[in-house]
Amino acid sequence: MTPTPLTVGFDLDMTLIDSRPGIKAVYEALVAETGAAIDTDLVVSRLGPPLEEELANWLPAAEVPAVADRYREIYPSYAITPTLALPGAREAVEAIRARGGRTLVVTAKYEPNAKLHLAHLGIEPDVIVGNLWAERKAVALKEHGATVYVGDHIGDVRGARAANAVSVAVATGPCGAEELRDAGADVVLTSLTELPAWLDAYRP
């Protein structure tokens, strides 16, 4: 039998990229425009869930859709340049390609902005899918045949498990290693720098 090619999915924020400086700048611009009382340091300490869920903590429900639209509109001007690739991000994607595999990014972030980040940083997955969070990430993971999903948040663990994919968690985001294990992660790595070695040992 011909083995199925390896297909690995990645989350974006705090898995492949450290977007905290850029996202903080966007929120600070929104505060200046709207006068909303938003604790931007708290916001960037818990990245992962969809934008609207975070904005609902700071704004009346009726205002959230318009402010979310404005956030996405100004995001490229503030967030792309300050954002850095996390250690091992490029190497992790290339390691899968070197093993004959395919990669996809599945993120809750607005897809056009996700694409801007990856292009700016020279990270080149085969597929990029935005606007999916937690269990809904399984839609894209299943569609593209991902057998492994790498993320930093318990929402990513939930997405992997909903797709019957191996959940590889990296403790580079808001969720610690113990929390990720308790959520059901199959593997917990300190960072993506450890992923190539894990791939060498991985047998589907």
Side-chain angles (χ1 to χ4, degrees):
M1 294 178 64
T2 303
T4 302
L6 176 67
T7 300
V8 178
F10 291 89
D11 176 50
L12 184 61
D13 292 292
M14 303 312 300
T15 297
L16 288 171
I17 66 173
D18 184 351
S19 52
R20 290 173 297 182
I23 289 175
K24 181 178 171 68
V26 180
Y27 271 97
E28 288 176 344
L30 284 179
V31 168
E33 286 188 11
T34 66
I38 300 175
D39 184 338
T40 59
D41 289 320
L42 179 57
V43 167
V44 299
S45 75
R46 58 188 187 194
L47 298 180
L51 170 64
E52 285 82 0
E53 289 188 18
E54 182 60 57
L55 289 174
N57 295 314
W58 309 104
L59 298 165
E63 295 179 16
V64 167
V67 175
D69 287 345
R70 180 59 177 159
Y71 175 101
R72 294 181 176 112
E73 179 184 4
I74 66 174
Y75 189 97
S77 299
Y78 290 92
I80 304 302
T81 302
T83 293
L84 302 174
L86 281 165
R90 295 184 186 88
E91 294 82 356
V93 172
E94 290 304 318
I96 294 156
R97 186 168 289 122
R99 289 161 174 78
R102 299 178 69 251
T103 57
L104 65 152
V105 168
V106 184
T107 174
K109 190 181 293 295
Y110 180 53
E111 189 173 305
N113 289 338
K115 290 178 176 178
L116 288 175
H117 274 303
L118 293 164
H120 178 74
L121 294 170
I123 299 173
E124 300 179 345
D126 296 290
V127 179
I128 302 168
V129 182
N131 310 302
L132 295 177
W133 164 241
E135 287 82 359
R136 291 190 62 231
K137 291 189 173 192
V139 174
L141 295 173
K142 289 179 178 179
E143 179 182 350
H144 295 282
T147 54
V148 177
Y149 186 58
V150 184
D152 67 282
H153 197 284
I154 59 172
D156 301 320
V157 177
R158 287 157 49 196
R161 297 187 71 82
N164 294 317
V166 174
S167 172
V168 177
V170 285
T172 49
C175 301
E178 184 175 352
E179 185 179 4
L180 293 163
R181 288 191 190 95
D182 289 346
D186 298 295
V187 180
V188 179
L189 307 177
T190 302
S191 75
L192 287 178
T193 60
E194 299 175 1
L195 188 68
W198 179 82
L199 287 170
D200 287 337
Y202 172 61
R203 297 293 180 270

